[in-house]
Amino acid sequence: MIFIDRQEVIARLPEGWKAKAKSVTDELREADGAAARKKIIDDNQELWRSIKGVLAAVGHQKCWYCESADIRSDNAVDHFRPKGRVSGASKEGYWWLAFDVRNYRFACTYCNSRRHGEGGTTGGKADFFPLAAGSRRADSHLISISVEIPMLLDPCDQFDVTALWFDETGQVNVNPDAEALEENVPDRVAVSRALYHLDHVRLIEARKRIFLEVLQMCDRADEALVAYKETQNVMARSIFRDSINALRRMKKEDAPYSAVAKCAVRGYRRSSPSAKLIAEAS
């Protein structure tokens, strides 16, 4: 998961989109009952579908939840707070946010929809939106969503992004630095792992490959650096610099599973001078 700046999404909206969204939202607020609201939402789905490309571009064509970039996946515009119903809740969903661009997330099929995966895993956000125990739910457009404490990690929240950690096996873990700041971080990571289907076997294997590739690149850079210091061989110097550049590219947000690469570099920095150098680079 990488941080997504919603302001960048808003800046890229096509002309007239915000005005249309406001008009439909006003219509929703004046509608008489849930059935009427559902019809308005169903009749205007093209509004959020029309900006799927914008959301994809801001997230470097990757799912905002898992960082997968799969051209075979029917990527969707997910409503972070469900627009229809909310599983486990007795009220309607967040219908007043149906056309609020700040509630949109670009999601792959496995993160967005309930699916069974290899190894017996099941996940997918669907219409789930659990809250922390004791949290009030904003069950009306008259109540600010700021009263809620969501259990799902949000890619549009920098703290939530830093809460996720990944290890050399490709598994999801908890960032201890984030856990030290908020005690419910382990529970939120566990819920997000399940509902975003982050334990899907193919996803774990992809993350593992990236992690190991980073470690191998660090070792390559370290070995070349030692060789250059001992022999002043210009080829060794070139290998070191090329490896450092490759590591930097793997950390860039448009790279495959860049959050995993960052975790690998940070975790290896005490053992590897090259990892330490890259970890400290902006």
Side-chain angles (χ1 to χ4, degrees):
M1 184 181 288
I2 59 174
F3 175 66
I4 304 294
D5 188 348
R6 284 179 294 197
Q7 292 303 315
E8 188 175 348
V9 174
I10 293 171
R12 297 189 186 198
L13 290 175
E15 185 177 355
W17 193 93
K18 287 191 288 185
K20 177 61 176 175
K22 181 181 183 304
S23 175
V24 177
T25 300
D26 290 343
E27 187 180 352
L28 276 172
R29 290 179 176 176
E30 295 171 1
D32 185 16
R37 286 192 285 269
K38 183 179 184 305
K39 185 177 187 309
I40 293 170
I41 291 174
D42 290 345
D43 288 347
N44 290 276
Q45 294 181 41
E46 183 56 30
L47 253 181
W48 64 72
R49 290 174 177 167
S50 69
I51 61 169
K52 184 166 76 169
V54 171
L55 303 177
V58 171
H60 308 289
Q61 308 299 323
K62 299 189 292 185
C63 171
W64 290 9
Y65 297 127
C66 73
E67 273 200 275
S68 292
D70 189 347
I71 60 173
R72 296 169 299 171
S73 176
D74 185 20
N75 295 313
V77 177
D78 174 51
H79 288 71
F80 186 59
R81 287 175 166 81
K83 62 185 180 300
R85 70 185 188 95
V86 180
S87 290
S90 59
K91 302 286 187 178
E92 281 185 81
Y94 301 82
W95 54 264
W96 61 96
L97 300 178
F99 302 97
D100 188 336
V101 69
R102 295 169 298 180
N103 193 42
Y104 297 162
R105 310 288 183 271
F106 185 69
C108 71
T109 300
Y110 275 82
C111 285
N112 187 52
S113 307
R114 298 299 289 176
R115 295 286 296 272
H116 298 290
E118 297 91 332
T121 62
T122 299
K125 180 174 171 287
D127 52 13
F128 288 92
F129 194 72
L131 301 180
S135 173
R136 182 182 180 184
R137 187 176 293 279
D139 53 10
S140 163
H141 66 287
L142 301 175
I143 301 173
S144 171
I145 58 174
S146 63
V147 303
E148 298 182 337
I149 303 177
M151 290 301 291
L152 283 170
L153 298 175
D154 184 1
C156 297
D157 186 304
Q158 182 64 65
F159 178 83
D160 284 3
V161 170
T162 61
L164 274 181
W165 196 257
F166 304 96
D167 64 22
E168 67 277 3
T169 68
Q171 297 285 349
V172 172
N173 279 305
V174 181
N175 184 342
D177 293 336
E179 184 179 2
L181 297 176
E182 284 194 2
E183 61 182 12
N184 70 340
V185 163
D187 291 336
R188 296 188 67 212
V189 168
V191 170
S192 299
R193 179 194 296 118
L195 289 183
Y196 292 149
H197 210 164
L198 299 180
D199 57 354
H200 184 215
V201 173
R202 277 182 278 166
L203 183 55
I204 289 174
E205 287 300 316
R207 292 194 299 248
K208 180 180 178 180
R209 285 193 295 271
I210 294 295
F211 201 107
L212 294 178
E213 186 177 344
V214 168
L215 300 191
Q216 290 168 0
M217 191 62 68
C218 287
D219 289 343
R220 184 171 185 263
D222 292 340
E223 290 168 4
L225 180 61
V226 170
Y228 175 64
K229 286 181 176 180
E230 291 178 349
T231 66
Q232 296 298 300
N233 183 288
V234 293
M235 183 60 69
R237 179 179 183 274
S238 178
I239 292 173
F240 168 71
R241 288 173 176 259
D242 287 347
S243 300
I244 289 296
N245 291 338
L247 286 166
R248 182 66 184 88
R249 287 193 295 271
M250 293 177 76
K251 280 182 57 183
K252 290 181 64 176
E253 292 188 340
D254 60 351
Y257 305 104
S258 57
V260 178
K262 291 177 183 177
C263 287
V265 166
R266 288 187 61 189
Y268 206 36
R269 67 188 186 277
R270 293 182 180 177
S271 304
S272 164
S274 298
K276 184 175 186 296
L277 177 65
I278 289 298
E280 294 175 352
S282 58

